[in-house]
Amino acid sequence: MILLKSKSYLLMLCLLFSALHLQAGLFGIHLADRKEYVQARETFDQGQYEQAVTLLTDYIYKTQNIKRREARAYRLLGLAYEQLNNPGKALETYKEALEFHDKNVPLLLAAASLYRRSDLLEQSVNLYERALALEPKNTAALSGLAENYISMGFYSKAQALYEQLSTIQPQLSPIERARQAYTFFKQRKYEQAFVFITMAKLQEPENADFWLLSARTYKGLSMLTDALAELDIAILLAPQKNELKDTKAIWLYQAQQYNQALALAEEILQRSPRHEPALLVKAFTLQKMGKKQAAQQILMQIKNMQTDSFTHRVASRLLEK
């Protein structure tokens, strides 16, 4: 009896030892895997993106069991490709990952964002909507989808999303406030646009684009003096942007302030003699000032540039009359 008990005891010890040994082996693999991922993550954080791609590719594809391929590793691999300016490989990575992890919100957002930046808006919208079906209050998905709708010209839809976003996250970023203002502006709801673009300017007063939208909003409200004042600040913040001065020259022309419009057009042309919008403003202004021959010469100058631009088409049509 004692001998039997001893054998049973030894057998139990052997089984227990085997189980512990197997468990240790499994934990060893797990810990090794974790170490490999951490190394890839650290390599990515250090900006060594090519090496990160190599490490992550090895890490993901070393297992034939596709269900064990981690979503976080796929996402990091896609981000590494993005940093290497290879959006094609990044999208390929995200698409493969979503075959196995179709309900992983961070993956959906990463892919949706890249589709948006690649101007593949319908695909981006689809992925943002899938993310919102899983997490209806996800602020990144709401913001990204709203930005898509702006690009697609669906301003009322974008406006509704920003309103939803602001209830979840009252302190929107300056760019989100500006985009919210833009949705109102494009619907000619200038008073509402003015409120939100003013908020954006207060948050980020050095952003010339915000001052431009504010100026355009003032103009929509038929407050040209205020519009020109806002535009002057935008020009002060970004003097290298000829399009801001183009806008001011056009507004001065529309306000029949021909001397000021002509002077500004000349200023632009001193720096950029072939700048077509300034040339066109100059031609229009000279025409209004009674200098028809000089205006015709400038229109001919634009036509002879042989560019496929709106300004060129306008000049050509005017010369045909």
Side-chain angles (χ1 to χ4, degrees):
M1 179 70 74
I2 294 173
L3 183 60
L4 288 173
K5 286 183 178 180
S6 298
K7 287 183 177 180
S8 298
Y9 180 71
L10 287 172
L11 180 60
M12 289 176 62
L13 285 176
C14 288
L15 290 172
L16 179 61
F17 178 78
S18 297
L20 288 172
H21 180 73
L22 178 59
Q23 189 176 27
L26 287 174
F27 282 140
I29 293 172
H30 176 73
L31 291 173
D33 284 352
R34 178 174 176 78
K35 185 176 180 181
E36 289 176 14
Y37 175 79
V38 169
Q39 181 184 3
R41 176 87 227 185
E42 289 175 348
T43 302
F44 177 91
D45 291 340
Q46 293 166 4
Q48 301 175 35
Y49 302 118
E50 291 185 3
Q51 186 180 351
V53 165
T54 300
L55 292 173
L56 287 162
T57 301
D58 292 343
Y59 178 74
I60 291 170
Y61 295 106
K62 72 177 181 181
T63 175
Q64 297 303 311
N65 185 351
I66 59 176
K67 293 182 179 180
R68 290 192 61 200
R69 294 177 181 173
E70 295 181 27
R72 63 176 183 172
Y74 270 116
R75 181 168 175 268
L76 192 60
L77 178 58
L79 292 174
Y81 278 126
E82 287 191 51
Q83 292 293 335
L84 291 170
N85 197 28
N86 193 341
K89 287 294 292 183
L91 285 174
E92 182 182 310
T93 300
Y94 293 141
K95 286 172 67 176
E96 179 180 318
L98 287 169
E99 291 179 14
F100 315 134
H101 306 283
D102 60 330
K103 295 184 179 180
N104 185 281
V105 172
L107 264 178
L108 287 166
L109 294 178
S113 176
L114 183 54
Y115 273 123
R116 187 186 73 240
R117 286 177 279 122
S118 302
D119 291 327
L120 300 169
L121 299 183
E122 290 185 4
Q123 296 93 320
S124 179
V125 166
N126 176 263
L127 293 177
Y128 277 129
E129 288 178 341
R130 284 169 58 182
L132 286 170
L134 295 165
E135 295 182 9
K137 294 185 178 182
N138 188 292
T139 56
L142 288 168
S143 182
L145 184 56
E147 188 176 349
N148 274 346
Y149 281 148
I150 288 175
S151 298
M152 298 168 80
F154 300 148
Y155 303 113
S156 60
K157 285 186 176 182
Q159 176 194 322
L161 286 172
Y162 282 122
E163 289 174 0
Q164 185 179 348
L165 182 62
S166 62
T167 62
I168 300 168
Q169 180 181 295
Q171 294 299 322
L172 296 186
S173 68
I175 188 62
E176 287 169 333
R177 285 294 186 206
R179 288 173 182 151
Q180 187 176 19
Y182 187 71
T183 64
F184 285 110
F185 175 83
K186 293 299 289 185
Q187 297 175 82
R188 299 188 178 185
K189 299 177 180 179
Y190 300 120
E191 291 182 359
Q192 295 96 319
F194 177 78
V195 171
F196 292 109
I197 194 56
T198 300
M199 293 171 68
K201 286 193 306 179
L202 289 172
Q203 289 176 273
E204 194 175 313
E206 70 281 2
N207 192 311
D209 291 334
F210 294 174
W211 289 92
L212 173 60
L213 181 54
S214 181
R216 294 174 69 188
T217 302
Y218 270 121
K219 191 169 185 292
L221 291 166
S222 300
M223 301 170 66
L224 183 59
T225 300
D226 294 295
L228 289 169
E230 297 283 290
L231 192 53
D232 281 337
I233 296 175
I235 292 170
L236 184 64
L237 290 169
Q240 75 283 3
K241 290 187 176 181
N242 275 339
E243 58 268 27
L244 296 176
K245 293 181 179 180
D246 292 340
T247 300
K248 184 177 180 181
I250 292 168
W251 289 1
L252 288 169
Y253 170 81
Q254 291 173 341
Q256 300 182 8
Q257 298 181 27
Y258 300 127
N259 289 328
Q260 295 94 319
L262 181 60
L264 185 53
E266 292 282 13
E267 179 187 329
I268 297 169
L269 292 169
Q270 285 179 1
R271 295 177 55 185
S272 306
R274 294 173 60 85
H275 189 68
E276 291 184 10
L279 286 168
L280 192 60
V281 170
K282 183 177 179 180
F284 284 168
T285 304
L286 289 172
Q287 181 80 20
K288 287 293 184 180
M289 296 172 75
K291 300 178 181 180
K292 297 182 178 180
Q293 186 175 355
Q296 289 288 105
Q297 289 176 350
I298 293 173
L299 291 174
M300 185 60 69
Q301 180 182 346
I302 297 172
K303 182 179 179 181
N304 291 338
M305 289 181 184
Q306 297 296 325
T307 59
D308 184 21
S309 65
F310 173 76
T311 304
H312 181 269
R313 290 192 292 273
V314 169
S316 297
R317 288 183 182 180
L318 288 172
L319 287 169
E320 291 172 0
K321 293 183 179 180

